Amino acid sequence: MKRALLRKSVNLNKTIKGCLRQEAKAQRDLYDYFSAMMLGVCSRYIHDRLEAEGVLVKGFMKVFQHLGQFEGKGELGAWIRRIMVNESLTYLRRNQKLYLETDVESLGNEEADLTAASYLEEEDLLQMIQRLPCGYRAVFNLYVIEGYSHAEIAELLQISAGTSKSQLSRARALLRKEILESEAILKQQRI
């Protein structure tokens, strides 16, 4: 309840100006306003909650350091999100050996049929995404959830666009398999 009230009462322009003056209260208000949402972003990339929280804190340190570079073009939340995604990817590269298979085989351009996913709860689907191998999960999140293009993903992860496409295709195939298995289990339970 307190967080919901805080989200409504924060004047972002005033808070940004306070952050630029390095006022602790303004920094806390900005953190409180965006932290839950941004923790969700970090958690999509990093399994361990404590590690995701650590990345969140490092990300906010960068937000406060570079807030003067925010030009007001677009939403502040989108700018902060990009910082959190970059921090999460940096963490993965340093600590989890972000394994990305090279584009050795042609997987085609087929789209995964995830219609069975509509029968799953959101939490179940998020858990399935969390179980993807690190590289697959990173590309899947960047492409499907964050909306990056394969060229942008290639640049962020220092891979080829083809590798990004194959990682996405493999991630979708694994998700499709797990969704279909879940659907079969649900059907068995109904019988």
Side-chain angles (χ1 to χ4, degrees):
M1 176 95 174
K2 180 181 175 189
R3 187 170 304 273
L5 292 174
L6 182 62
R7 284 192 65 84
K8 291 178 183 176
S9 67
V10 170
N11 177 332
L12 283 179
N13 288 331
K14 183 178 174 182
T15 301
I16 291 169
K17 288 176 184 174
C19 288
L20 291 171
R21 291 188 300 265
Q22 297 183 350
E23 294 173 6
K25 183 190 180 319
Q27 290 174 334
R28 184 65 188 180
D29 287 347
L30 190 70
Y31 179 86
D32 287 344
Y33 189 81
F34 285 107
S35 63
M37 182 184 352
M38 296 306 154
L39 181 58
V41 171
C42 296
S43 294
R44 281 199 304 270
Y45 294 90
I46 302 163
H47 283 293
D48 185 277
R49 172 105 176 170
L50 288 176
E51 295 297 323
E53 288 174 356
V55 170
L56 176 77
V57 170
K58 279 187 177 182
F60 267 103
M61 288 171 47
K62 284 196 175 176
V63 166
F64 296 135
Q65 242 178 353
H66 301 289
L67 192 57
Q69 295 173 5
F70 176 66
E71 298 172 352
K73 297 176 184 171
E75 290 186 35
L76 178 62
W79 184 79
I80 294 173
R81 176 193 278 298
R82 188 172 192 105
I83 290 172
M84 296 302 162
V85 168
N86 287 332
E87 274 304 301
S88 296
L89 294 174
T90 298
Y91 170 86
L92 290 174
R93 278 197 283 290
R94 286 187 186 148
N95 300 299
Q96 301 221 335
K97 297 182 181 175
L98 185 60
Y99 291 112
L100 294 166
E101 297 175 15
T102 55
D103 187 27
V104 186
E105 59 191 69
S106 174
L107 293 172
N109 225 359
E110 92 181 67
E111 291 293 317
D113 178 19
L114 298 179
T115 54
S118 62
Y119 300 107
L120 295 172
E121 295 291 325
E122 178 182 352
E123 187 62 32
D124 295 331
L125 193 53
L126 288 174
Q127 286 175 4
M128 287 178 185
I129 293 169
Q130 281 292 349
R131 288 192 293 268
L132 288 171
C134 187
Y136 293 5
R137 185 175 67 248
V139 171
F140 184 87
N141 281 322
L142 288 168
Y143 186 84
V144 175
I145 297 175
E146 305 296 342
Y148 285 86
S149 70
H150 287 294
E152 292 169 320
I153 294 169
E155 186 177 327
L156 278 170
L157 300 179
Q158 300 170 348
I159 58 175
S160 71
T163 299
S164 175
K165 290 176 185 177
S166 69
Q167 294 287 294
L168 178 63
S169 179
R170 290 178 179 130
R172 285 179 167 165
L174 285 174
L175 285 173
R176 178 178 44 237
K177 180 181 176 199
E178 193 166 349
I179 289 167
L180 292 174
E181 288 171 359
S182 294
E183 187 179 59
I185 290 169
L186 287 173
K187 284 180 183 178
Q188 285 293 335
Q189 290 174 350
R190 286 186 219 143
I191 295 177

